[in-house]
Amino acid sequence: MDGDDRDEPPADTGGYGFPRALWRTMDKHPPPGAHHLRRWRSPLRGPWLTSVLGLVLLITLPVVIITGLLSYIAYGPQFGQAIPVDVGLLKLPTFNWPTDPSWLYRLTQGLHVGLGLILIPVILAKLWSVIPRFFSWPPSRSLAQLLERLSLIMLVGGILFEIVTGVLNIQYDYIFGFSFYTAHYFGAWVFIAGFLVHLAIKLPKMWAGLRSLPFRQVLATSTAETWPEPTDPDGLVAVDPAPATMSRRGALLLVGSGAVFMAVITAGQTIGGFTRHLALLLPRGRDLGNGPNDFEVNKTFAASLIDPRATGDAWRLTLTGGPRAVVLDRAALLAMTQHTATLPIACVEGWSSTQRWTGVPLRNLAVLAGVPNPVSAYVRSLERYGFNQATLQANQVSAQDSLLALKVNGADLSPDHGYPARIIVPALPGVHSTKWVTTIDFRAG
Ligand SMILES: Nc1nc2c(c(=O)[nH]1)N[C@H]1C(S)=C(S)[C@@H](COP(=O)(O)O)O[C@H]1N2
Ligand SMILES: [Mo]
Protein backbone atom coordinates (compact mmCIF):
# COMPACT_ATOMS: atom_id res chain seq x y z
CA MET A 1 0.00 0.00 0.00
CA ASP A 2 1.46 3.40 -0.87
CA GLY A 3 2.19 5.69 2.05
CA ASP A 4 0.19 8.46 0.42
CA ASP A 5 -3.02 6.45 0.53
CA ARG A 6 -2.92 6.15 4.28
CA ASP A 7 -5.04 8.04 6.70
CA GLU A 8 -3.40 10.40 9.10
CA PRO A 9 -2.63 8.75 12.42
CA PRO A 10 -5.56 9.00 14.78
CA ALA A 11 -5.28 12.11 16.91
CA ASP A 12 -6.44 10.26 19.99
CA THR A 13 -3.39 8.04 20.45
CA GLY A 14 -2.91 10.06 23.62
CA GLY A 15 -0.06 9.70 26.05
CA TYR A 16 0.58 6.08 25.12
CA GLY A 17 0.80 6.72 21.41
CA PHE A 18 3.96 6.94 19.39
CA PRO A 19 5.13 10.40 18.41
CA ARG A 20 3.37 11.54 15.27
CA ALA A 21 6.71 12.17 13.55
CA LEU A 22 7.81 8.57 14.04
CA TRP A 23 4.54 7.28 12.67
CA ARG A 24 4.87 9.55 9.64
CA THR A 25 8.43 8.40 8.96
CA MET A 26 7.43 4.76 9.10
CA ASP A 27 4.48 5.47 6.88
CA LYS A 28 6.64 7.17 4.27
CA HIS A 29 9.10 4.30 4.23
CA PRO A 30 7.18 1.07 4.09
CA PRO A 31 9.33 -2.07 3.93
CA PRO A 32 9.74 -3.58 0.49
CA GLY A 33 6.77 -5.78 -0.19
CA ALA A 34 4.20 -3.91 1.89
CA HIS A 35 2.34 -3.16 -1.33
CA HIS A 36 1.83 -6.91 -1.84
CA LEU A 37 -1.11 -6.49 0.49
CA ARG A 38 -3.24 -5.85 -2.54
CA ARG A 39 -2.43 -9.29 -3.82
CA TRP A 40 -4.43 -10.95 -1.06
CA ARG A 41 -7.67 -10.80 -2.97
CA SER A 42 -9.73 -13.75 -1.80
CA PRO A 43 -13.31 -12.59 -1.20
CA LEU A 44 -13.68 -15.24 1.53
CA ARG A 45 -11.26 -13.53 3.84
CA GLY A 46 -12.98 -11.51 6.51
CA PRO A 47 -14.09 -11.40 10.15
CA TRP A 48 -16.64 -14.22 9.74
CA LEU A 49 -14.25 -16.89 8.43
CA THR A 50 -11.52 -15.86 10.87
CA SER A 51 -14.02 -15.99 13.75
CA VAL A 52 -15.36 -19.44 12.84
CA LEU A 53 -11.84 -20.89 12.63
CA GLY A 54 -10.98 -19.00 15.83
CA LEU A 55 -13.94 -20.54 17.64
CA VAL A 56 -12.90 -24.06 16.63
CA LEU A 57 -9.40 -23.40 17.98
CA LEU A 58 -10.74 -21.71 21.10
CA ILE A 59 -12.57 -24.90 22.01
CA THR A 60 -9.91 -27.42 20.98
CA LEU A 61 -6.51 -25.87 21.71
CA PRO A 62 -7.07 -25.76 25.50
CA VAL A 63 -7.49 -29.56 25.36
CA VAL A 64 -4.12 -29.86 23.61
CA ILE A 65 -2.53 -27.46 26.12
CA ILE A 66 -3.93 -29.13 29.24
CA THR A 67 -3.17 -32.70 28.11
CA GLY A 68 0.36 -31.56 27.25
CA LEU A 69 0.91 -30.10 30.72
CA LEU A 70 -0.60 -33.23 32.28
CA SER A 71 1.94 -35.31 30.40
CA TYR A 72 4.72 -33.34 32.05
CA ILE A 73 3.19 -34.13 35.46
CA ALA A 74 2.67 -37.81 34.55
CA TYR A 75 6.42 -38.09 33.94
CA GLY A 76 7.02 -37.55 37.67
CA PRO A 77 8.76 -34.18 38.01
CA GLN A 78 8.96 -34.86 41.78
CA PHE A 79 11.62 -37.47 40.96
CA GLY A 80 13.49 -35.18 38.61
CA GLN A 81 12.54 -37.37 35.64
CA ALA A 82 10.32 -34.92 33.75
CA ILE A 83 12.23 -33.00 31.10
CA PRO A 84 13.22 -30.18 31.44
CA VAL A 85 14.12 -30.87 35.06
CA ASP A 86 14.47 -27.27 36.20
CA VAL A 87 11.66 -25.09 34.91
CA GLY A 88 12.00 -22.22 37.41
CA LEU A 89 8.82 -20.19 37.75
CA LEU A 90 7.04 -22.44 35.28
CA LYS A 91 6.99 -25.26 37.80
CA LEU A 92 3.58 -26.89 37.82
CA PRO A 93 1.92 -28.22 40.95
CA THR A 94 2.75 -31.92 40.99
CA PHE A 95 0.56 -34.72 42.24
CA ASN A 96 0.78 -38.48 42.19
CA TRP A 97 -0.33 -39.54 38.73
CA PRO A 98 -3.23 -41.99 39.25
CA THR A 99 -3.15 -45.67 38.26
CA ASP A 100 -6.91 -45.78 37.79
CA PRO A 101 -8.38 -45.69 35.16
CA SER A 102 -5.60 -47.64 33.47
CA TRP A 103 -6.33 -45.87 30.17
CA LEU A 104 -5.81 -42.39 31.63
CA TYR A 105 -2.45 -41.62 30.01
CA ARG A 106 -3.57 -43.36 26.84
CA LEU A 107 -6.47 -40.90 26.70
CA THR A 108 -4.62 -37.72 27.66
CA GLN A 109 -1.60 -38.35 25.46
CA GLY A 110 -3.68 -39.73 22.58
CA LEU A 111 -5.70 -36.51 22.70
CA HIS A 112 -2.59 -34.35 22.91
CA VAL A 113 -0.87 -35.87 19.89
CA GLY A 114 -3.99 -36.82 17.91
CA LEU A 115 -5.83 -33.54 18.33
CA GLY A 116 -2.59 -31.61 17.83
CA LEU A 117 -2.15 -33.29 14.44
CA ILE A 118 -5.79 -33.01 13.41
CA LEU A 119 -5.77 -29.28 14.11
CA ILE A 120 -2.84 -28.52 11.79
CA PRO A 121 -5.08 -27.80 8.77
CA VAL A 122 -7.34 -25.60 10.91
CA ILE A 123 -4.38 -23.65 12.22
CA LEU A 124 -2.98 -23.16 8.72
CA ALA A 125 -6.40 -21.98 7.51
CA LYS A 126 -6.65 -19.57 10.42
CA LEU A 127 -3.22 -18.14 9.57
CA TRP A 128 -4.22 -17.85 5.91
CA SER A 129 -7.36 -15.98 6.92
CA VAL A 130 -5.40 -13.26 8.71
CA ILE A 131 -2.42 -12.94 6.34
CA PRO A 132 -3.03 -9.25 5.58
CA ARG A 133 -2.64 -8.47 9.29
CA PHE A 134 0.95 -9.69 9.23
CA PHE A 135 1.79 -7.10 6.58
CA SER A 136 0.03 -4.11 8.11
CA TRP A 137 2.30 -1.09 8.22
CA PRO A 138 3.33 0.73 10.35
CA PRO A 139 3.44 -2.35 12.58
CA SER A 140 1.88 -0.48 15.48
CA ARG A 141 0.50 2.91 16.26
CA SER A 142 0.38 2.68 20.02
CA LEU A 143 1.87 0.83 22.92
CA ALA A 144 -1.27 -1.31 23.15
CA GLN A 145 -0.89 -2.27 19.50
CA LEU A 146 2.79 -3.00 19.97
CA LEU A 147 1.92 -5.42 22.79
CA GLU A 148 -0.70 -7.01 20.60
CA ARG A 149 1.84 -7.54 17.83
CA LEU A 150 4.32 -9.04 20.30
CA SER A 151 1.67 -11.44 21.60
CA LEU A 152 0.97 -12.36 17.98
CA ILE A 153 4.61 -13.30 17.42
CA MET A 154 4.47 -15.48 20.53
CA LEU A 155 1.18 -17.00 19.43
CA VAL A 156 2.07 -17.75 15.80
CA GLY A 157 5.74 -18.46 16.37
CA GLY A 158 4.84 -20.59 19.38
CA ILE A 159 2.27 -22.76 17.67
CA LEU A 160 4.37 -23.30 14.54
CA PHE A 161 7.32 -24.24 16.74
CA GLU A 162 5.17 -26.69 18.74
CA ILE A 163 3.81 -28.26 15.56
CA VAL A 164 7.24 -28.67 13.97
CA THR A 165 8.96 -30.06 17.07
CA GLY A 166 5.96 -32.28 17.89
CA VAL A 167 5.71 -33.78 14.41
CA LEU A 168 9.46 -34.32 14.18
CA ASN A 169 9.42 -36.04 17.56
CA ILE A 170 6.82 -38.61 16.56
CA GLN A 171 8.91 -39.25 13.44
CA TYR A 172 11.91 -39.88 15.70
CA ASP A 173 13.72 -37.23 13.72
CA TYR A 174 15.80 -35.53 16.35
CA ILE A 175 17.35 -33.25 13.77
CA PHE A 176 17.51 -30.27 16.07
CA GLY A 177 20.49 -29.89 18.32
CA PHE A 178 18.44 -29.44 21.48
CA SER A 179 16.25 -31.67 23.64
CA PHE A 180 12.79 -32.10 22.19
CA TYR A 181 11.18 -32.09 25.62
CA THR A 182 12.88 -28.91 26.79
CA ALA A 183 12.11 -27.08 23.57
CA HIS A 184 8.51 -28.29 23.41
CA TYR A 185 7.90 -27.39 27.07
CA PHE A 186 9.24 -23.84 26.92
CA GLY A 187 7.76 -23.34 23.44
CA ALA A 188 4.41 -24.30 24.93
CA TRP A 189 4.61 -21.56 27.56
CA VAL A 190 5.50 -18.96 24.95
CA PHE A 191 2.47 -20.11 22.98
CA ILE A 192 0.20 -20.20 26.06
CA ALA A 193 1.13 -16.62 26.99
CA GLY A 194 0.46 -15.44 23.43
CA PHE A 195 -2.80 -17.40 23.36
CA LEU A 196 -4.11 -15.81 26.57
CA VAL A 197 -3.29 -12.25 25.49
CA HIS A 198 -4.79 -12.91 22.07
CA LEU A 199 -7.97 -14.26 23.68
CA ALA A 200 -8.33 -11.26 25.93
CA ILE A 201 -7.98 -8.91 22.96
CA LYS A 202 -9.96 -10.78 20.32
CA LEU A 203 -12.83 -12.50 22.10
CA PRO A 204 -15.33 -9.63 21.59
CA LYS A 205 -14.31 -9.36 17.93
CA MET A 206 -14.82 -13.08 17.51
CA TRP A 207 -18.38 -12.93 18.85
CA ALA A 208 -19.13 -9.97 16.60
CA GLY A 209 -17.59 -11.78 13.63
CA LEU A 210 -19.65 -14.91 14.27
CA ARG A 211 -22.84 -12.87 14.39
CA SER A 212 -22.01 -10.92 11.23
CA LEU A 213 -23.19 -13.78 8.99
CA PRO A 214 -25.75 -16.39 10.10
CA PHE A 215 -24.11 -19.83 9.90
CA ARG A 216 -27.18 -21.39 8.22
CA GLN A 217 -27.12 -18.75 5.54
CA VAL A 218 -23.44 -19.41 4.84
CA LEU A 219 -24.16 -23.12 4.47
CA ALA A 220 -26.86 -22.34 1.90
CA THR A 221 -24.72 -20.00 -0.19
CA SER A 222 -23.14 -21.22 -3.45
CA THR A 223 -19.89 -20.00 -4.97
CA ALA A 224 -21.71 -17.75 -7.45
CA GLU A 225 -23.52 -16.00 -4.61
CA THR A 226 -20.42 -15.61 -2.42
CA TRP A 227 -19.50 -11.96 -1.86
CA PRO A 228 -16.86 -10.31 0.27
CA GLU A 229 -17.88 -9.08 3.71
CA PRO A 230 -18.12 -5.32 4.24
CA THR A 231 -14.73 -3.66 4.74
CA ASP A 232 -13.57 -4.10 8.34
CA PRO A 233 -11.33 -1.90 10.48
CA ASP A 234 -8.75 -4.70 10.84
CA GLY A 235 -8.21 -4.90 7.11
CA LEU A 236 -9.00 -8.61 6.74
CA VAL A 237 -11.40 -7.99 3.87
CA ALA A 238 -9.59 -7.49 0.54
CA VAL A 239 -9.36 -3.93 -0.74
CA ASP A 240 -9.64 -5.20 -4.28
CA PRO A 241 -11.41 -8.58 -4.04
CA ALA A 242 -11.30 -11.14 -6.85
CA PRO A 243 -14.43 -13.10 -7.80
CA ALA A 244 -15.07 -16.11 -5.58
CA THR A 245 -13.71 -19.46 -6.80
CA MET A 246 -15.07 -21.25 -3.74
CA SER A 247 -17.95 -20.70 -1.35
CA ARG A 248 -17.45 -20.23 2.38
CA ARG A 249 -19.08 -23.61 3.02
CA GLY A 250 -16.63 -25.07 0.44
CA ALA A 251 -13.71 -23.53 2.33
CA LEU A 252 -14.95 -25.02 5.61
CA LEU A 253 -15.40 -28.40 3.90
CA LEU A 254 -11.84 -28.21 2.57
CA VAL A 255 -10.41 -27.46 6.01
CA GLY A 256 -12.62 -30.17 7.55
CA SER A 257 -11.41 -32.71 4.98
CA GLY A 258 -7.83 -31.81 5.81
CA ALA A 259 -8.57 -32.49 9.48
CA VAL A 260 -10.26 -35.81 8.65
CA PHE A 261 -7.26 -36.80 6.51
CA MET A 262 -4.95 -36.10 9.45
CA ALA A 263 -7.24 -38.17 11.68
CA VAL A 264 -7.15 -41.10 9.25
CA ILE A 265 -3.36 -41.21 9.03
CA THR A 266 -3.08 -40.88 12.83
CA ALA A 267 -5.86 -42.84 14.50
CA GLY A 268 -4.69 -46.25 13.24
CA GLN A 269 -1.95 -46.12 15.86
CA THR A 270 -4.55 -46.58 18.58
CA ILE A 271 -7.45 -48.32 16.85
CA GLY A 272 -5.24 -51.10 15.46
CA GLY A 273 -6.31 -53.78 12.98
CA PHE A 274 -6.05 -52.85 9.32
CA THR A 275 -6.16 -49.11 10.18
CA ARG A 276 -2.63 -49.54 11.53
CA HIS A 277 -1.37 -49.54 7.95
CA LEU A 278 -2.81 -46.07 7.49
CA ALA A 279 -0.89 -44.60 10.40
CA LEU A 280 1.63 -42.95 8.11
CA LEU A 281 2.66 -40.35 10.65
CA LEU A 282 3.65 -42.91 13.26
CA PRO A 283 6.54 -45.11 12.27
CA ARG A 284 6.46 -47.05 15.57
CA GLY A 285 2.90 -48.04 14.77
CA ARG A 286 4.18 -50.22 11.92
CA ASP A 287 7.20 -51.97 13.44
CA LEU A 288 5.75 -55.14 14.89
CA GLY A 289 6.70 -58.47 16.42
CA ASN A 290 5.23 -61.95 15.83
CA GLY A 291 2.39 -64.05 17.31
CA PRO A 292 1.44 -63.05 20.86
CA ASN A 293 4.21 -60.46 20.74
CA ASP A 294 2.78 -58.86 17.60
CA PHE A 295 2.38 -55.24 18.65
CA GLU A 296 4.32 -52.01 18.39
CA VAL A 297 7.97 -52.24 19.29
CA ASN A 298 9.59 -49.02 20.33
CA LYS A 299 13.24 -49.81 20.76
CA THR A 300 14.21 -53.26 19.45
CA PHE A 301 16.48 -55.58 21.40
CA ALA A 302 19.14 -55.20 18.72
CA ALA A 303 19.00 -51.42 19.03
CA SER A 304 19.39 -51.64 22.82
CA LEU A 305 22.97 -52.91 22.29
CA ILE A 306 22.51 -55.32 25.23
CA ASP A 307 24.74 -58.38 25.05
CA PRO A 308 22.30 -61.28 24.36
CA ARG A 309 24.14 -63.45 26.92
CA ALA A 310 23.05 -60.99 29.64
CA THR A 311 19.38 -61.89 29.07
CA GLY A 312 19.97 -65.69 28.98
CA ASP A 313 20.46 -68.12 31.89
CA ALA A 314 22.89 -65.71 33.53
CA TRP A 315 20.18 -63.09 34.00
CA ARG A 316 19.26 -62.19 37.56
CA LEU A 317 16.88 -59.66 39.09
CA THR A 318 18.27 -57.84 42.11
CA LEU A 319 15.93 -56.22 44.64
CA THR A 320 17.49 -53.66 46.95
CA GLY A 321 16.34 -51.20 49.60
CA GLY A 322 15.72 -53.73 52.38
CA PRO A 323 18.07 -55.18 55.01
CA ARG A 324 19.89 -57.21 52.32
CA ALA A 325 19.73 -57.52 48.56
CA VAL A 326 17.48 -60.28 47.16
CA VAL A 327 18.62 -61.97 43.95
CA LEU A 328 16.18 -63.98 41.80
CA ASP A 329 16.43 -65.80 38.51
CA ARG A 330 13.55 -66.08 36.04
CA ALA A 331 12.52 -69.53 37.33
CA ALA A 332 12.20 -68.14 40.86
CA LEU A 333 10.04 -65.30 39.57
CA LEU A 334 7.84 -67.73 37.63
CA ALA A 335 7.44 -69.81 40.80
CA MET A 336 5.94 -66.81 42.65
CA THR A 337 2.22 -65.95 42.55
CA GLN A 338 1.46 -64.73 39.03
CA HIS A 339 -1.08 -62.01 38.24
CA THR A 340 -2.59 -61.21 34.84
CA ALA A 341 -3.88 -57.78 33.78
CA THR A 342 -4.96 -56.24 30.49
CA LEU A 343 -3.16 -52.92 30.29
CA PRO A 344 -2.06 -50.44 27.64
CA ILE A 345 1.40 -49.23 26.81
CA ALA A 346 0.76 -45.58 26.03
CA CYS A 347 3.70 -43.84 24.42
CA VAL A 348 4.34 -40.10 24.66
CA GLU A 349 4.32 -40.14 20.85
CA GLY A 350 0.59 -40.81 20.95
CA TRP A 351 0.38 -44.47 19.95
CA SER A 352 -0.89 -47.03 22.38
CA SER A 353 -1.35 -50.78 22.47
CA THR A 354 -3.38 -52.80 24.97
CA GLN A 355 -2.19 -56.33 25.79
CA ARG A 356 -2.68 -59.06 28.40
CA TRP A 357 0.35 -59.13 30.67
CA THR A 358 1.33 -61.76 33.26
CA GLY A 359 3.98 -61.47 35.92
CA VAL A 360 4.77 -60.80 39.58
CA PRO A 361 2.95 -57.89 41.28
CA LEU A 362 5.47 -55.18 42.17
CA ARG A 363 4.03 -54.94 45.69
CA ASN A 364 4.90 -58.63 46.28
CA LEU A 365 8.47 -57.92 45.18
CA ALA A 366 8.54 -54.97 47.61
CA VAL A 367 7.50 -57.27 50.44
CA LEU A 368 10.15 -59.79 49.41
CA ALA A 369 12.76 -57.03 49.38
CA GLY A 370 11.79 -56.11 52.94
CA VAL A 371 10.22 -52.74 52.08
CA PRO A 372 6.46 -53.46 52.19
CA ASN A 373 5.42 -49.81 51.90
CA PRO A 374 7.97 -48.05 49.69
CA VAL A 375 7.58 -44.35 48.87
CA SER A 376 9.09 -45.04 45.46
CA ALA A 377 10.84 -47.70 43.42
CA TYR A 378 13.82 -47.06 41.18
CA VAL A 379 13.99 -49.46 38.24
CA ARG A 380 17.04 -50.02 36.08
CA SER A 381 17.46 -51.79 32.76
CA LEU A 382 20.38 -53.80 31.43
CA GLU A 383 20.49 -51.19 28.72
CA ARG A 384 23.31 -48.70 29.14
CA TYR A 385 21.86 -45.81 27.15
CA GLY A 386 18.47 -44.31 26.39
CA PHE A 387 15.33 -44.83 28.47
CA ASN A 388 17.07 -47.29 30.78
CA GLN A 389 15.64 -46.25 34.18
CA ALA A 390 12.50 -44.96 35.84
CA THR A 391 11.26 -44.06 39.29
CA LEU A 392 7.76 -45.25 40.17
CA GLN A 393 5.50 -43.53 42.71
CA ALA A 394 4.24 -45.38 45.82
CA ASN A 395 0.75 -45.85 44.30
CA GLN A 396 2.33 -47.21 41.11
CA VAL A 397 4.10 -49.91 43.14
CA SER A 398 1.10 -50.80 45.29
CA ALA A 399 -1.60 -50.96 42.58
CA GLN A 400 -2.73 -54.58 42.26
CA ASP A 401 -2.20 -54.62 38.47
CA SER A 402 1.34 -53.18 38.62
CA LEU A 403 3.62 -55.92 37.36
CA LEU A 404 7.09 -57.03 36.67
CA ALA A 405 5.78 -58.72 33.52
CA LEU A 406 7.33 -62.00 32.35
CA LYS A 407 4.73 -62.92 29.73
CA VAL A 408 2.40 -61.25 27.29
CA ASN A 409 -0.75 -62.83 25.83
CA GLY A 410 0.26 -66.14 27.40
CA ALA A 411 3.70 -66.33 25.77
CA ASP A 412 7.14 -65.39 27.07
CA LEU A 413 8.02 -61.77 26.36
CA SER A 414 9.97 -61.50 23.11
CA PRO A 415 13.44 -59.94 23.30
CA ASP A 416 12.01 -56.83 21.61
CA HIS A 417 9.32 -56.46 24.27
CA GLY A 418 11.71 -56.73 27.21
CA TYR A 419 12.57 -60.40 27.92
CA PRO A 420 13.37 -61.57 30.60
CA ALA A 421 11.22 -59.01 32.50
CA ARG A 422 9.71 -55.57 32.09
CA ILE A 423 7.64 -53.04 34.01
CA ILE A 424 3.91 -52.71 33.26
CA VAL A 425 1.91 -50.29 35.44
CA PRO A 426 -1.63 -48.99 34.82
CA ALA A 427 -1.74 -45.45 33.32
CA LEU A 428 2.05 -45.17 33.35
CA PRO A 429 3.60 -43.16 30.49
CA GLY A 430 5.08 -45.76 28.12
CA VAL A 431 8.59 -44.43 28.55
CA HIS A 432 8.65 -45.66 32.15
CA SER A 433 7.61 -49.23 31.37
CA THR A 434 11.26 -50.21 31.43
CA LYS A 435 12.31 -53.27 29.40
CA TRP A 436 15.12 -55.74 30.20
CA VAL A 437 14.91 -54.92 33.93
CA THR A 438 17.91 -55.83 36.05
CA THR A 439 17.42 -54.08 39.43
CA ILE A 440 14.60 -52.57 41.46
CA ASP A 441 15.46 -50.40 44.44
CA PHE A 442 12.51 -50.01 46.82
CA ARG A 443 12.92 -46.81 48.77
CA ALA A 444 11.46 -46.51 52.24
CA GLY A 445 11.80 -42.73 52.52
N1 LIG B 1 15.14 -50.29 28.46
C1 LIG B 1 14.22 -49.62 27.75
N2 LIG B 1 12.92 -49.68 28.10
C2 LIG B 1 11.99 -49.01 27.39
C3 LIG B 1 12.35 -48.20 26.29
C4 LIG B 1 13.72 -48.14 25.94
O1 LIG B 1 14.13 -47.46 24.99
N3 LIG B 1 14.62 -48.86 26.69
N4 LIG B 1 11.39 -47.49 25.61
C5 LIG B 1 10.20 -47.15 26.40
C6 LIG B 1 9.15 -46.53 25.60
S1 LIG B 1 9.39 -44.92 25.13
C7 LIG B 1 7.97 -47.17 25.34
S2 LIG B 1 6.70 -46.37 24.60
C8 LIG B 1 7.78 -48.60 25.67
C9 LIG B 1 7.42 -49.38 24.44
O2 LIG B 1 7.34 -50.74 24.73
P1 LIG B 1 7.32 -51.80 23.54
O3 LIG B 1 8.49 -51.56 22.66
O4 LIG B 1 7.30 -53.14 24.16
O5 LIG B 1 6.03 -51.53 22.79
O6 LIG B 1 8.94 -49.16 26.25
C10 LIG B 1 9.63 -48.35 27.15
N5 LIG B 1 10.68 -49.11 27.77
MO1 LIG C 1 7.48 -44.13 24.30
Side-chain angles (χ1 to χ4, degrees):
M1 199 178 278
D2 294 329
D4 299 347
D5 295 352
R6 298 297 289 250
D7 297 333
E8 280 291 284
D12 61 351
T13 46
Y16 296 105
F18 287 106
R20 215 165 233 259
L22 176 62
W23 189 87
R24 277 223 185 86
T25 316
M26 289 207 288
D27 205 24
K28 286 224 177 73
H29 304 284
H35 63 276
H36 285 318
L37 212 50
R38 283 179 187 278
R39 294 231 186 112
W40 306 108
R41 295 181 63 200
S42 170
L44 301 187
R45 213 180 260 114
W48 185 82
L49 191 64
T50 297
S51 301
V52 169
L53 296 169
L55 178 64
V56 172
L57 294 175
L58 171 64
I59 294 166
T60 49
L61 280 178
V63 177
V64 181
I65 293 172
I66 290 167
T67 50
L69 295 176
L70 283 175
S71 181
Y72 182 83
I73 292 170
Y75 264 60
Q78 64 272 41
F79 302 125
Q81 61 185 352
I83 313 167
V85 173
D86 184 7
V87 292
L89 286 175
L90 298 177
K91 197 164 150 9
L92 293 167
T94 54
F95 51 86
N96 275 343
W97 187 252
T99 53
D100 187 27
S102 64
W103 40 262
L104 182 65
Y105 190 72
R106 184 173 185 231
L107 175 75
T108 59
Q109 196 58 14
L111 274 175
H112 182 68
V113 175
L115 201 52
L117 289 169
I118 288 168
L119 289 178
I120 291 176
V122 184
I123 290 162
L124 294 180
K126 175 75 162 52
L127 290 176
W128 173 87
S129 81
V130 295
I131 278 179
R133 300 282 298 146
F134 298 128
F135 293 91
S136 66
W137 189 263
S140 60
R141 298 182 186 203
S142 63
L143 197 59
Q145 260 187 16
L146 187 69
L147 287 178
E148 190 212 322
R149 315 273 322 167
L150 274 178
S151 75
L152 214 57
I153 292 174
M154 294 166 74
L155 179 78
V156 176
I159 196 135
L160 293 179
F161 184 81
E162 292 302 276
I163 289 174
V164 169
T165 50
V167 168
L168 286 177
N169 180 56
I170 59 175
Q171 301 305 305
Y172 270 33
D173 260 333
Y174 294 101
I175 53 163
F176 21 75
F178 44 79
S179 155
F180 159 75
Y181 297 93
T182 304
H184 204 67
Y185 187 81
F186 288 120
W189 281 108
V190 171
F191 165 69
I192 291 168
F195 186 64
L196 292 176
V197 174
H198 192 70
L199 266 185
I201 298 174
K202 300 291 187 184
L203 214 51
K205 285 192 184 184
M206 190 192 80
W207 288 127
L210 287 172
R211 281 198 305 262
S212 68
L213 280 176
F215 200 78
R216 286 222 187 115
Q217 186 189 315
V218 172
L219 291 186
T221 306
S222 69
T223 307
E225 297 164 299
T226 297
W227 306 108
E229 291 178 59
T231 315
D232 64 316
D234 289 331
L236 294 177
V237 179
V239 190
D240 175 22
T245 53
M246 185 189 278
S247 62
R248 287 190 176 79
R249 67 180 179 205
L252 292 183
L253 194 68
L254 185 69
V255 177
S257 313
V260 169
F261 175 73
M262 293 304 283
V264 167
I265 63 173
T266 307
Q269 61 176 324
T270 300
I271 298 170
F274 77 96
T275 63
R276 208 152 62 176
H277 303 288
L278 299 173
L280 300 176
L281 276 177
L282 294 130
R284 287 309 164 281
R286 285 175 283 135
D287 189 359
L288 306 166
N290 296 311
N293 278 274
D294 169 19
F295 59 95
E296 291 82 343
V297 174
N298 191 324
K299 182 179 283 173
T300 60
F301 181 66
S304 75
L305 302 180
I306 297 171
D307 181 346
R309 282 170 301 187
T311 58
D313 289 341
W315 179 83
R316 295 289 181 277
L317 173 74
T318 306
L319 307 175
T320 56
R324 69 194 74 80
V326 177
V327 181
L328 304 158
D329 61 11
R330 201 165 185 276
L333 286 165
L334 282 167
M336 292 177 68
T337 307
Q338 303 291 298
H339 179 78
T340 296
T342 299
L343 294 174
I345 291 181
C347 183
V348 69
E349 295 155 52
W351 64 262
S352 51
S353 178
T354 304
Q355 308 296 335
R356 203 162 45 82
W357 308 92
T358 302
V360 182
L362 290 178
R363 58 182 182 189
N364 295 359
L365 292 176
V367 170
L368 193 64
V371 192
N373 294 302
V375 296
S376 67
Y378 174 65
V379 180
R380 280 200 65 98
S381 169
L382 286 168
E383 197 185 4
R384 297 193 33 208
Y385 313 97
F387 301 128
N388 58 357
Q389 55 183 325
T391 305
L392 304 175
Q393 304 158 180
N395 60 326
Q396 290 169 334
V397 175
S398 63
Q400 76 166 17
D401 283 348
S402 294
L403 301 175
L404 181 72
L406 306 168
K407 297 181 173 222
V408 62
N409 301 318
D412 282 349
L413 291 173
S414 68
D416 284 344
H417 285 305
Y419 183 91
R422 76 171 303 166
I423 296 294
I424 288 290
V425 167
L428 188 71
V431 66
H432 290 156
S433 33
T434 308
K435 304 196 273 194
W436 316 296
V437 170
T438 179
T439 62
I440 306 178
D441 185 32
F442 293 101
R443 296 176 171 172

